[in-house]
Amino acid sequence: MSETDIFGGMKGRMPAMSQTRQIGSEPVTSDGFLDSEDISEAFDSLSPENRLKLYEIERIALRGTDLSPGDLLHEALSAAIMGDRNCPRDVPFMAFIVQTMRSIASHHREKRRREPTDGGAAPEARPVFSAAASDPEQTLIERESADTVGAIHDCFEGDEQAQMVVLGWSDGYRGKDLRDFVGVDQTALDYIIKRIRRTMAKRYPNGWKKQ
Amino acid sequence: MTASRKNPAREQLDRIEDALIESILGASEAELREEMVERGEDPDKCLLRMEQIVAGAKVASGKRRMERAKSELQEWRTGQAKTLKFDREAVRARFEKMRSRDPELASKMLLAARKGEGLSESDVEGLIEDLAKLERLDDKPGSE
């Protein structure tokens, strides 16, 4: 199974917030990290193409949070400028900001899951997967994730190729493995993926929140 | 169609998200613009909105940094005042105790002072500050 590292090696390298070092009010950046001015400059120098990409990626990363479009980017950029999140100099800025947005979204999802429901009690979980049954929170996460995965598949009812691609993605297939799994060449795969992206954008215009 | 049970659903969702993001990163500007227009969004307005978000983030960060700096300065001042006040009173008492209990030390201080005329008030203040510094060093973890 081949998997391209689209995140510039960021996965597993994102410094935790607690690792941030500070002196006074300024983020301390050893030579290995961008400082706050570098962050501002890095963003200012992003091309319109990359900005549109961030705009689109944010919509996807918002899933399951209570945030609105724009909030994630605002938080990610603020965290980077404040030094709460550090961007290694050898990592592409786009990869850093994308992973920071995703990480922040993940924190929001976790926080939301821990909040009591309207009735004041913690959300009751019904067991779906036996492996997670002993941990109600994990069970809830699994249930919500399963619901979303199911809803994504439902978006492509009647489009078997798109369903195959989504299924392949969910099993981690990329490149040749994905082409073989779906049984199409790269041009056809690109076309199917574009179709998936468009359908998803229409189905979830404000991120993958529960509709 | 149901989701595969091979991997936990959360992992599947993360992988789908990875793949979608990968496809966006690989798309051209023209493709993205086309897709936005198709769903009724104006890409140029989106870019303008991005500018506003970034400007907002910069302003908010600037304010937070200023607040953080003020708060840290205030903490430092408060801590500094407390330390000095405490050190000066307590350390002076300890210094006087040491001097009165150790005639040899008192004699050496006299000899070390200017022309054998004894310690001036500023000499004593200086010694108290030195003693306070030594005590702080002793209190630091790892010091012997």
Side-chain angles (χ1 to χ4, degrees):
Chain A
M1 185 180 304
S2 64
E3 200 164 347
T4 314
D5 183 7
I6 54 160
F7 301 107
M10 281 300 286
K11 285 193 166 183
R13 293 187 55 202
M14 288 290 285
M17 295 182 86
S18 58
Q19 287 178 305
T20 303
R21 298 173 302 114
Q22 299 244 331
I23 290 178
S25 61
E26 295 298 317
V28 174
T29 50
S30 59
D31 288 338
F33 298 98
L34 299 185
D35 65 23
S36 48
E37 286 196 6
D38 293 334
I39 294 286
S40 291
E41 280 172 22
F43 199 93
D44 289 343
S45 61
L46 283 182
S47 64
E49 179 178 317
N50 279 335
R51 289 173 186 223
L52 289 178
K53 284 176 182 175
L54 284 181
Y55 183 89
E56 293 291 84
I57 288 167
E58 190 199 35
R59 284 187 320 98
I60 291 170
L62 278 172
R63 71 174 165 91
T65 71
D66 291 326
L67 301 172
S68 302
D71 290 350
L72 261 185
L73 182 63
H74 178 101
E75 279 198 39
L77 196 56
S78 298
I81 292 173
M82 291 296 295
D84 295 334
R85 305 269 178 159
N86 286 330
C87 177
R89 287 191 184 276
D90 60 347
V91 165
F93 181 70
M94 273 292 281
F96 164 76
I97 209 79
V98 167
Q99 279 305 91
T100 301
M101 286 198 298
R102 297 182 77 190
S103 169
I104 291 171
S106 176
H107 280 287
H108 277 278
R109 281 193 289 274
E110 294 295 324
K111 195 176 151 195
R112 202 183 125 243
R113 284 187 189 106
R114 292 195 175 96
E115 282 170 359
T117 52
D118 293 343
E124 191 185 341
R126 59 183 159 86
V128 175
F129 296 101
S130 58
S134 58
D135 183 339
E137 192 179 321
Q138 287 304 311
T139 307
L140 180 69
I141 291 168
E142 273 301 302
R143 195 185 75 202
E144 284 184 355
S145 300
D147 285 350
T148 309
V149 171
I152 291 169
H153 282 288
D154 289 346
C155 286
F156 304 103
E157 195 67 51
D159 185 345
E160 199 174 320
Q161 283 183 321
Q163 285 183 327
M164 287 292 284
V165 170
V166 173
L167 194 60
W169 279 348
S170 66
D171 281 341
Y173 292 124
R174 294 287 195 282
K176 184 180 182 306
D177 294 316
L178 186 61
R179 290 196 298 272
D180 292 347
F181 180 71
V182 183
V184 294
D185 61 19
Q186 189 59 48
T187 309
L189 184 63
D190 288 343
Y191 185 73
I192 297 165
I193 290 173
K194 196 185 281 189
R195 201 160 70 224
I196 290 172
R197 219 166 49 224
R198 289 179 179 199
T199 305
M200 292 286 290
K202 278 182 191 163
R203 176 72 179 81
Y204 296 100
N206 297 312
W208 296 6
K209 290 180 183 179
K210 273 190 168 178
Q211 302 292 297
Chain B
M1 192 169 188
T2 56
S4 160
R5 296 288 175 94
K6 190 176 167 185
N7 301 299
R10 190 181 185 182
E11 208 173 301
Q12 290 180 35
L13 197 52
D14 285 344
R15 287 174 170 175
I16 293 171
E17 186 178 297
D18 281 355
L20 276 170
I21 289 174
E22 184 179 342
S23 81
I24 290 169
L25 288 172
S28 67
E29 184 178 349
E31 278 176 321
L32 295 174
R33 282 179 175 273
E34 197 184 314
E35 288 170 25
M36 286 174 158
V37 169
E38 197 177 84
R39 61 171 194 265
E41 287 192 83
D42 180 342
D44 291 320
K45 279 188 181 167
C46 292
L47 285 173
L48 197 62
R49 174 84 186 110
M50 292 284 278
E51 283 292 336
Q52 291 166 343
I53 292 164
V54 173
K58 285 180 182 176
V59 169
S61 304
K63 281 183 183 169
R64 273 184 61 204
R65 284 169 68 188
M66 179 63 82
E67 282 164 14
R68 193 185 275 182
K70 277 183 186 172
S71 157
E72 283 171 356
L73 180 63
Q74 187 58 40
E75 274 176 31
W76 181 83
R77 279 179 175 159
T78 309
Q80 189 78 350
K82 274 184 188 167
T83 305
L84 288 177
K85 192 178 178 186
F86 172 81
D87 282 346
R88 195 159 297 280
E89 289 166 1
V91 176
R92 177 186 284 275
R94 280 198 291 280
F95 171 72
E96 292 300 344
K97 205 171 176 180
M98 284 164 66
R99 188 158 63 162
S100 64
R101 283 186 178 177
D102 189 343
E104 193 182 347
L105 175 67
S107 164
K108 282 180 180 171
M109 281 181 183
L110 197 63
L111 287 171
R114 295 180 201 93
K115 298 175 183 175
E117 290 174 357
L119 297 172
S120 68
E121 186 55 28
S122 65
D123 289 335
V124 172
E125 288 296 313
L127 281 168
I128 286 170
E129 279 170 18
D130 290 345
L131 184 58
K133 281 177 192 167
L134 283 171
E135 286 181 344
R136 278 201 294 271
L137 283 175
D138 283 346
D139 288 343
K140 280 190 178 174
S143 59
E144 290 175 15

